[in-house]
Amino acid sequence: MPPKRPITLIPNLLTLTNAGLGLLAISKAIDALSSAATPALFERHLEMACWLVLLAGVFDALDGKIARLMNAFSDLGAQLDSFADAITFGVAPAFIAKALLEHEGLAHPRINFVCAAAFTLMAVLRLARFNTETEPDEASHAFFKGLPSPAAAGMVVSTVLMYLSLGGSIEVEAGEPTPLGRGLQVLPLAWREALTTYLLLPTVLVLLPLLGLLMVSRVRYVHMVSSITSRQGVEGLVVVVLFVLGLYLAPVLFLFGFGVFYVFGTLLRVAAQRPHKTDLGSEDLAA
């Protein structure tokens, strides 16, 4: 009697949910552009698009973890995961960022498109390389070669959310400001406008090609989900509790700060370990 094949339905359903959320995020970004004449409606749609990408990241983390726990790997699942990630973490964040940049009129539309296209194309290259170089075993998922596409997408959308938060319109719940909203009220309006216009908005534009290059680099990034779940006893519980508390108190600020720490903190660590070399050299940028 031939051995039973592992059940791949659950991981594949999680992957399809990831793709569905990515498509919905793109739809919300389109809705934002169609309601550009109404600033509050534009920001509401764009905020929802950002949160959908972040929620998709949860399903992306779960599908791989569950597939490894159930030993439910298949060629179909691997290809499906990459296609879903290309939509959700390649196309959707670039589309969201471009919608914001077009609405605010920061740069010429062609510049906005080139930066957004660079992010998406590098994400596709990164996912293709991942499929050819990574084995399904747990040890192969301890580190990533290059910035993982979900982290790059999270950095983009958390920056967009931070931009919207400084405007103040999304930091309101049931008519009352959120903890972050109360903190932002301390800053003079002119300061907040300067931060959004001269800092965060250009940052969104620059992040797109920069994160694209990091995705196809050879910089080693730790797999956060595997790192957290591998911790034993009190240490693991403390990490999870602190993470949940941060998300509860100030989700936008926490995610933005965590993204900066993960993306650029890793670069600083690499630079400190290799003072005479860089992981961003010509060899490291080869796909």
Side-chain angles (χ1 to χ4, degrees):
M1 185 175 179
K4 292 183 179 180
R5 298 183 62 185
I7 300 174
T8 60
L9 177 63
I10 295 176
N12 288 346
L13 282 176
L14 293 172
T15 302
L16 287 174
T17 301
N18 164 19
L21 290 171
L23 291 171
L24 187 55
I26 295 171
S27 176
K28 286 296 180 181
I30 294 173
D31 290 342
L33 285 175
S34 66
S35 59
T38 309
L41 197 56
F42 170 83
E43 292 178 359
R44 192 178 308 131
H45 285 309
L46 204 63
E47 178 194 9
M48 179 59 69
C50 292
W51 286 116
L52 286 168
V53 171
L54 292 170
L55 179 61
V58 176
F59 285 92
D60 179 65
L62 288 175
D63 66 1
K65 193 69 178 177
I66 289 177
R68 287 190 289 276
L69 288 173
M70 298 175 63
N71 193 26
F73 294 101
S74 67
D75 291 338
L76 172 64
Q79 299 304 318
L80 188 63
D81 185 69
S82 288
F83 283 124
D85 287 358
I87 294 171
T88 306
F89 308 123
V91 178
F95 205 102
I96 291 168
K98 189 174 186 298
L100 177 64
L101 295 169
E102 294 289 327
H103 181 264
E104 300 300 328
L106 175 66
H108 192 280
R110 290 188 181 181
I111 296 177
N112 296 335
F113 171 77
V114 167
C115 291
F119 180 90
T120 298
L121 294 176
M122 294 303 104
V124 172
L125 284 172
R126 191 250 181 277
L127 290 164
R129 188 182 70 186
F130 180 83
N131 274 358
T132 60
E133 294 184 354
T134 306
E135 298 296 328
D137 58 281
E138 190 73 32
S140 298
H141 290 76
F143 289 91
F144 290 107
K145 292 179 181 178
L147 179 66
S149 56
M155 187 72 253
V156 171
V157 298
S158 64
T159 305
V160 172
L161 284 172
M162 199 66 205
Y163 175 89
L164 297 174
S165 293
L166 279 171
S169 60
I170 72 170
E171 294 298 333
V172 178
E173 292 180 357
E176 295 292 329
T178 64
L180 178 58
R182 291 191 183 94
L184 291 174
Q185 288 175 355
V186 176
L187 294 175
L189 180 60
W191 289 18
R192 281 184 281 157
E193 290 178 348
L195 284 172
T196 55
T197 304
Y198 300 113
L199 180 61
L200 283 177
L201 196 59
T203 297
V204 172
L205 183 67
V206 173
L207 275 178
L208 292 171
L210 176 60
L211 294 173
L213 288 174
L214 285 175
M215 280 190 282
V216 295
S217 73
R218 294 288 181 175
V219 178
R220 280 165 58 89
Y221 281 89
V222 67
H223 193 304
M224 291 305 302
V225 175
S226 296
S227 176
I228 292 173
T229 55
S230 64
R231 296 174 184 269
Q232 301 295 324
V234 176
E235 184 182 2
L237 288 174
V238 169
V239 172
V240 172
V241 168
L242 290 177
F243 197 89
V244 172
L245 287 176
L247 286 176
Y248 177 75
L249 290 174
V252 173
L253 183 61
F254 178 80
L255 290 171
F256 177 74
F258 183 78
V260 170
F261 171 77
Y262 181 71
V263 175
F264 299 105
T266 299
L267 288 180
L268 291 175
R269 175 183 56 79
V270 169
Q273 291 176 347
R274 303 179 64 182
H276 302 297
K277 297 181 181 180
T278 174
D279 276 10
L280 294 176
S282 57
E283 294 182 359
D284 292 335
L285 290 176

